[in-house]
């Protein structure tokens, strides 16, 4: 019997309307358009304003609607919805269930996973294993965040970086030689001090004091995270390239997490992959956390061809990181 693979059969995406420019940020903190472009590579990022909508499920519903427009599927056939996010609408219920209810995926069981910027590749890993078990045939993976809700816009170390956005993928079972081929997922929770939001969870439930201390904002030691992001993504990419006998010539696309253009450039230099094979859109959207990789796929979808060798890699809080090797599943329509 042929081996079952889980293959992406469609991509949807959405970014909110409001464009937060470097000049607007420079009006409130001591920074400049020039510094942000040179050190991070971002020109603008999208922000979900209350007048447009609220909660990450708002973005996810829009992304699913986009997916449905391009790739017709029956929402009632979706068996599971897995949502990678660090910014669910509420502590509970989960954002996957909220999204499924509003998009007609009422037969699916739904849950969120929290793996920060690695949310998409972790969720893909779970969905793939559900599918290759033979029990499930159609799963929606969503990855989105509204990190603007956790950002202190008086902190120049974090506020230029983050933006809001959401992407989604329809995964199906196939016996063709396409889909997810291999993956490496890793975590190290020994040093949460380098990148965290300490307030609002069970260790520091929300009180006036946690709010006064700013514990609900994202905080990072940028230099440590920067170095870790490069070395961990390079390690897992090299490992997956080696064990699948790939080379810069046979790789068609690399999609690195979009956290900082200098991180991306360093990773691709280490991998020796030419620039034209690398998807980069950080300039327009900033770091949208779990959404960066599916938002690249969303933009590059018309250029992807069936059988293309694609490497995805992410790094985020936790720390969490990993790499996925997949063969693209369809030609542009
Ligand atoms: O998605 C995963 C999570 N996040 C990341 O992967 C982000 C990883 N880190 C980074 O992207 C970068 O470390 C930052 C963008 C956060 C900072 O850039 P950097 O080039 O690493 O700056 P730095 O922290 O080494 O600071 C260099 C200087 C410092 O000034 P002094 O001490 O040399 O006088 C900072 O105070 O740049 C200063 N600085 C800024 N200057 C203007 C830091 N932020 C800014 C700013 N505008 N926004």
């Amino acid at each position: 019997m042929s081996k079952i693979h889980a293959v992406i059969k469609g991509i949807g995406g959405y970014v909110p309307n409001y464009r937060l420019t470097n000049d607007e940020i420079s009006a409130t903190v001591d920074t400049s358009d020039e510094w942000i472009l040179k050190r991070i590579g971002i020109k603008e990022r999208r922000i979900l304003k209350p007048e447009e909508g609220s909660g990450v499920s708002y973005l996810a519903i829009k992304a699913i609607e986009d997916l449905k427009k391009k790739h017709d599927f029956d929402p009632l056939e979706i068996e599971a919805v897995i949502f990678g996010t660090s910014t669910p609408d509420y502590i509970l219920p989960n954002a996957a269930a909220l999204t499924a209810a509003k998009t007609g995926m009422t037969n699916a069981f739904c849950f969120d996973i929290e793996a920060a910027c690695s949310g998409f590749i972790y969720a893909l890993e779970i969905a793939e294993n559900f599918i290759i078990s033979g029990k499930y045939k159609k799963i929606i993976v969503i990855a989105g965040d509204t990190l603007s809700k956790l950002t202190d816009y008086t902190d120049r170390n974090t506020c230029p970086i983050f933006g809001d956005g959401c992407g989604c993928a329809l995964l199906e079972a196939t016996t063709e030689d396409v889909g997810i081929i291999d993956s490496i997922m890793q975590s190290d929770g020994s040093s949460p001090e380098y990148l965290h939001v300490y307030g609002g969870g069970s260790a520091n439930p929300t009180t006036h004091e946690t709010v006064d201390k700013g514990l609900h904002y994202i905080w990072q030691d940028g230099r440590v995270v920067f170095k870790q992001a490069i070395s961990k993504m390079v390690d897992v990419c090299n490992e997956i390239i080696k064990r699948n006998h790939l080379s810069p010539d046979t790789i068609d696309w690399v999609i690195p997490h979009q956290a900082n253009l200098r991180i991306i450039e360093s990773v691709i230099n280490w991998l020796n992959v030419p620039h034209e094979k690398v998807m980069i859109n950080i300039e327009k959207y900033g770091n949208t956390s779990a959404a960066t990789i599916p938002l690249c796929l969303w933009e590059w979808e018309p250029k992807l061809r069936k059988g293309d060798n694609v490497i995805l890699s992410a790094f985020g809080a936790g720390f969490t990181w990993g790499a996925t090797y997949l063969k693209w599943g369809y030609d542009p329509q």
Side-chain angles (χ1 to χ4, degrees):
M1 210 173 81
S2 338
K3 191 171 184 289
I4 302 173
H5 285 126
V7 63
I8 295 178
K9 293 297 278 184
I11 289 284
Y14 185 73
V15 288
N17 297 325
Y18 190 83
R19 293 164 193 263
L20 177 60
T21 62
N22 291 346
D23 286 339
E24 189 178 342
I25 290 177
S26 309
T28 49
V29 292
D30 182 14
T31 189
S32 64
D33 178 45
E34 194 194 356
W35 193 95
I36 298 171
L37 258 179
K38 192 165 156 221
R39 304 298 296 172
I40 319 181
I42 300 173
K43 274 191 184 153
E44 61 179 29
R45 60 295 284 145
R46 302 297 187 93
I47 303 295
L48 181 60
K49 294 279 190 181
E51 48 276 25
E52 185 187 343
S54 73
V56 76
S57 70
Y58 168 83
L59 302 180
I61 291 162
K62 294 276 195 190
I64 297 286
E65 285 168 359
D66 176 61
L67 172 70
K68 270 202 219 153
K69 261 189 249 153
K70 294 182 297 182
H71 305 274
D72 198 25
F73 67 93
D74 181 355
L76 293 173
E77 286 183 359
I78 302 299
E79 297 158 289
V81 177
I82 308 172
F83 197 153
T85 183
S86 313
T87 49
D89 299 49
Y90 312 111
I91 301 281
L92 50 90
N94 70 63
L98 296 174
T99 306
K102 291 245 169 80
T103 50
M105 299 189 282
T106 47
N107 290 324
F109 71 102
C110 308
F111 61 96
D112 296 351
I113 60 133
E114 200 281 274
C117 303
S118 307
F120 183 68
I121 60 169
Y122 270 45
L124 272 190
E125 171 80 352
I126 297 166
E128 188 224 356
N129 279 282
F130 280 172
I131 286 175
I132 64 176
S133 75
K135 188 167 178 188
Y136 303 100
K137 292 190 172 50
K138 280 191 190 185
I139 295 180
I140 291 281
V141 163
I142 307 173
D145 271 304
T146 52
L147 279 189
S148 66
K149 310 299 173 206
L150 307 179
T151 299
D152 176 358
Y153 284 95
T154 66
D155 175 10
R156 73 175 184 172
N157 290 305
T158 51
C159 75
I161 298 174
F162 300 112
D164 301 336
C166 187
C168 60
L170 168 64
L171 265 89
E172 290 186 7
T174 182
T175 49
E176 283 190 83
D177 187 24
V178 289
I180 297 169
I181 308 294
D182 195 8
S183 58
I184 304 172
M185 299 294 136
Q186 300 195 328
S187 308
D188 177 2
S190 62
S191 307
E193 65 274 20
Y194 295 126
L195 180 52
H196 58 253
V197 179
Y198 275 154
S202 53
N204 298 302
T206 309
T207 61
H208 288 290
E209 199 190 349
T210 60
V211 174
D212 291 345
K213 284 183 171 166
L215 295 189
H216 300 271
Y217 290 130
I218 193 160
W219 189 93
Q220 70 168 341
D221 181 330
R223 287 179 204 191
V224 173
V225 177
F226 189 97
K227 285 187 197 148
Q228 288 288 320
I230 295 169
S231 80
K232 300 299 191 195
M233 285 199 284
V234 169
D235 282 354
V236 284
C237 286
N238 272 331
E239 175 66 23
I240 215 157
I241 287 169
K242 195 171 142 205
R243 75 187 191 192
N244 289 284
H245 313 292
L246 294 164
S247 69
D249 285 343
T250 55
I251 294 169
D252 295 292
W253 300 101
V254 174
I255 314 174
H257 171 49
Q258 316 275 305
N260 183 314
L261 187 58
R262 288 182 300 132
I263 295 178
I264 296 172
E265 280 174 348
S266 186
V267 169
I268 62 178
N269 284 341
W270 279 104
L271 299 181
N272 204 20
V273 174
H275 253 81
E276 59 273 17
K277 292 187 172 186
V278 183
M279 298 187 193
I280 303 175
N281 62 10
I282 187 171
E283 192 178 291
K284 291 191 285 188
Y285 304 134
N287 178 350
T288 55
S289 186
T292 65
I293 292 174
L295 285 178
C296 283
L297 288 170
W298 174 58
E299 271 203 90
W300 267 261
E301 194 186 24
K303 292 192 176 164
L304 287 156
R305 297 285 177 280
K306 190 169 181 180
D308 279 357
N309 287 319
V310 184
I311 304 279
L312 320 175
S313 186
F315 177 88
F319 293 127
T320 58
W321 68 98
T324 305
Y325 162 43
L326 56 87
K327 277 185 180 291
W328 194 246
Y330 54 97
D331 288 321
Q333 292 164 346

